[in-house]
Amino acid sequence: MFGAVQLGVLAACVVLFVPMGMAGWHLSRNKMLFFSGALFITLAVGVHLTPYFPSISTFVSSVVVLQNRDSCVSLLHDIVFHVKPLDHFQNFTILGGSWSWSNSAPVVSCDFQKLGRSDASDLLNGSWVVVAGDSQARLFVVSLLGLVFGSEEMDSVRAQLFKRHSDYHIVVDQIGMKLDFVWAPYVTNLTHLMMDFKQENNYPDVLLMGAGLWHMLHVTNSSDYGVSLRLLRNSVVSFLPISPEFGNDGPVTGSVSIRSPHIFWIGMPVLISSMLNTEEKRMKMNDAMWSDYDKELYRSKLLRQSGGPLLSLDIQSLSEKCGKQCTVDGMHYDRIVYEAAIHIMLNALLIESHQKL
Ligand SMILES: *[C@@H]1O[C@H](CO)[C@@H](O)[C@H](O)[C@H]1NC(C)=O
Ligand SMILES: *[C@@H]1O[C@H](CO)[C@@H](O)[C@H](O)[C@H]1NC(C)=O
Ligand SMILES: *[C@@H]1O[C@H](CO)[C@@H](O)[C@H](O)[C@H]1NC(C)=O
Ligand SMILES: *[C@@H]1O[C@H](CO)[C@@H](O)[C@H](O)[C@H]1NC(C)=O
């Protein structure tokens, strides 16, 4: 049993260090202040009530709430799609689709939110977001910008972004968000990007990466893909100032003042062989090859579920749930798949920064 003095000291430490830790996360300072204020009041009330109650349940319950939030990360992909064809245009089916989190009890208790334009703007205010990868990453950018922009602005964004195989840079003035899309079809391109960050000593707040399909089509060698993933993992762990709990074999470089970026991996979608648009794709990008590539991803220990630094945005599970009806070429999926992925990412950011809308 804690004495009142020890508990007071503990509470003071929590109030002092938790917000200091969170100061590394510079997005949405107001929410951080709110959180530390709420934490202070909870602890203060808890400490003062302790002499009148035999247990310290107030304090214990606030710790439990934080732990539950972490387990919520694993439920983020528990999503259901509601899709029905609305209309046909030439050979395309126009889908009327929506998605939601499942209504199972554990998911409901996590209280995930679809962020509206203003909440998303608030969360991303002042941040530098980098999305690097292949066409899946590009579709992800379209959905992300679609969330912070109106539809007229999106038309001009789309025209710029879909110039084939080029980088794209935009500053969303209203919220001071800087977004870079880096065309990086191979994992080696991503590793070079890590080196660039290191050289400039400048790291984005949020980094989203993903590559694999180009390698599958043009190199078609899963163990070579695995080699490149391991190099990427090593460069992430040794170059980026990530917190030590994820990288167990890399030094934590830089000073404490360097912010810790939040890094996500945009996974490969399910490929529907029969719908792929060339014979070469249908031959090389088959189910067996896909599964070999996926195994290499796991073995590389790049993702957090295998002990690595990156949080997975599991496009495989999302595209599988949305199904064949959500793709016209067996590879690029309907907007709602990437939109769900955006909201998974935003909720992961909220959880990681212990913010609540
Ligand atoms: C529609 O599909 C048919 C047969 O698959 C094809 O010949 C035709 O060119 C397609 N039309 C368009 C507009 O894509
Ligand atoms: C973004 O933050 C700045 C200052 O930090 C504030 O003045 C501005 O209103 C914020 N914008 C939005 C859209 O939240
Ligand atoms: C990506 O890497 C490949 C193979 O290493 C290289 O040929 C290509 O030029 C790189 N592309 C970009 C955009 O850096
Ligand atoms: C596949 O890649 C590995 C690792 O780079 C290499 O050792 C092997 O020779 C390659 N296999 C083929 C068939 O090219």
Side-chain angles (χ1 to χ4, degrees), residues 167 183-186 188-189 192:
D167 294 353
W183 172 247
Y186 293 102
T188 46
N189 303 129
H192 283 140

Side-chain angles (χ1 to χ4, degrees), residues 60-70:
V60 170
S61 70
S62 72
V63 170
V64 169
V65 167
L66 288 179
Q67 278 170 351
N68 281 349
R69 296 196 63 85
D70 286 340

Side-chain angles (χ1 to χ4, degrees), residues 138 141-146 148-163 168-172 179:
R138 199 201 305 267
V141 172
V142 173
S143 287
L144 179 59
L145 290 176
V148 296
F149 276 137
S151 55
E152 323 84 63
E153 285 151 307
M154 270 317 284
D155 287 341
S156 90
V157 166
R158 235 180 261 272
Q160 292 291 315
L161 192 58
F162 281 92
K163 283 183 185 158
Y168 175 73
H169 171 79
I170 188 169
V171 175
V172 185
L179 183 138

Side-chain angles (χ1 to χ4, degrees), residues 189-295:
N189 303 129
L190 298 172
T191 308
H192 283 140
L193 184 65
M194 293 301 113
M195 292 171 177
D196 292 345
F197 291 142
K198 171 74 174 172
Q199 212 153 41
E200 307 273 320
N201 193 24
N202 192 14
Y203 304 94
D205 303 293
V206 182
L207 173 58
L208 300 120
M209 304 188 278
L213 296 176
W214 277 65
H215 193 281
M216 196 186 294
L217 181 62
H218 299 294
V219 184
T220 328
N221 178 340
S222 59
S223 46
D224 187 71
Y225 182 62
V227 170
S228 65
L229 286 170
R230 275 180 276 276
L231 288 174
L232 176 63
R233 182 193 193 271
N234 292 345
S235 69
V236 169
V237 170
S238 58
F239 291 172
L240 294 193
I242 50 176
S243 39
E245 75 219 56
F246 307 130
N248 43 15
D249 54 355
V252 180
T253 55
S255 68
V256 200
S257 68
I258 296 180
R259 283 176 276 109
S260 203
H262 296 258
I263 321 175
F264 296 86
W265 180 255
I266 303 173
M268 292 192 296
V270 168
L271 298 175
I272 303 182
S273 290
S274 62
M275 296 174 84
L276 297 174
N277 57 15
T278 67
E279 184 53 39
E280 190 190 10
K281 285 183 188 163
R282 285 191 288 274
M283 229 170 61
K284 293 181 173 170
M285 305 175 94
N286 54 40
D287 291 348
M289 190 56 75
W290 195 101
S291 120
D292 287 347
Y293 270 63
D294 192 49
K295 280 183 201 133

